Amino acid sequence: MRWWDIAPVLELERELFPDDAWSEGMFWSELAHARGPHATRRYVVAEEDDRLVGYAGLAAAGGLGDVQTIAVSRDQWGTGLGGRLLADLLQHATAFECDEVLLEVRVDNTRAQKLYERFGFEPIGFRRGYYQPGNIDALVMRLRVHTVQGTESTESHG
């Protein structure tokens, strides 16, 4: 994701998350940490026919990764795009030397929860009223990342 992607990202963000969409400033702030030798963020976009159809972001610090956001346009649901975006973030989590990756997902978003479970994320708790203004709880999920025979891999429970 680059600065010129922010406008179409915001459009999709507001369409998919009308009650708790990120602001333009939030995306600018994240992108400020996504470049250079001391980068702690990874933000990517997916395009089809010159149209932005998805985006995702990861923050990393101190061996811990956090999936900040994953969004896929409704016409792309069921195509595997969400999985490809998540796979990209997890690949970069290993590059950031993360031991664990966390995320929050709305308790009523079972589609996303199933995606995360397929990648080996496990529920570890809740954040009550995390999504505002709707006061919707978040399910906190964790994936442990470990080294196997000198190569990075993600632990799978499937």
Side-chain angles (χ1 to χ4, degrees), residues 101-103 113 116-117 119-125 139-144 155-157:
V101 178
L102 299 176
L103 59 80
Q113 291 171 34
Y116 302 139
E117 288 168 359
F119 276 80
F121 281 86
E122 298 178 314
I124 60 168
L139 174 64
V140 181
M141 301 182 82
R142 175 180 60 200
L143 174 69
R144 293 180 191 267
E155 194 173 276
S156 177
H157 302 283

Side-chain angles (χ1 to χ4, degrees), residues 91-139:
Q91 177 183 354
H92 283 82
T94 61
F96 283 133
E97 299 181 352
C98 296
D99 299 316
E100 296 182 333
V101 178
L102 299 176
L103 59 80
E104 293 89 12
V105 58
R106 288 173 62 111
V107 294
D108 58 357
N109 190 345
T110 55
R111 281 183 58 258
Q113 291 171 34
K114 288 177 181 178
L115 168 67
Y116 302 139
E117 288 168 359
R118 284 197 310 271
F119 276 80
F121 281 86
E122 298 178 314
I124 60 168
F126 293 93
R127 295 189 195 277
R128 302 287 176 209
Y130 183 80
Y131 293 98
Q132 295 296 329
N135 203 36
I136 307 294
D137 294 345
L139 174 64

Side-chain angles (χ1 to χ4, degrees), residues 9-26:
V9 162
L10 284 171
E11 193 175 311
L12 185 55
E13 175 83 1
R14 291 179 188 126
E15 176 188 327
L16 295 173
F17 312 111
D19 295 331
D20 53 3
W22 281 23
S23 69
E24 181 177 359
M26 292 170 78

Side-chain angles (χ1 to χ4, degrees), residues 80-92:
L81 178 56
R84 291 190 300 277
L85 290 168
L86 181 57
D88 179 278
L89 296 184
L90 295 178
Q91 177 183 354
H92 283 82

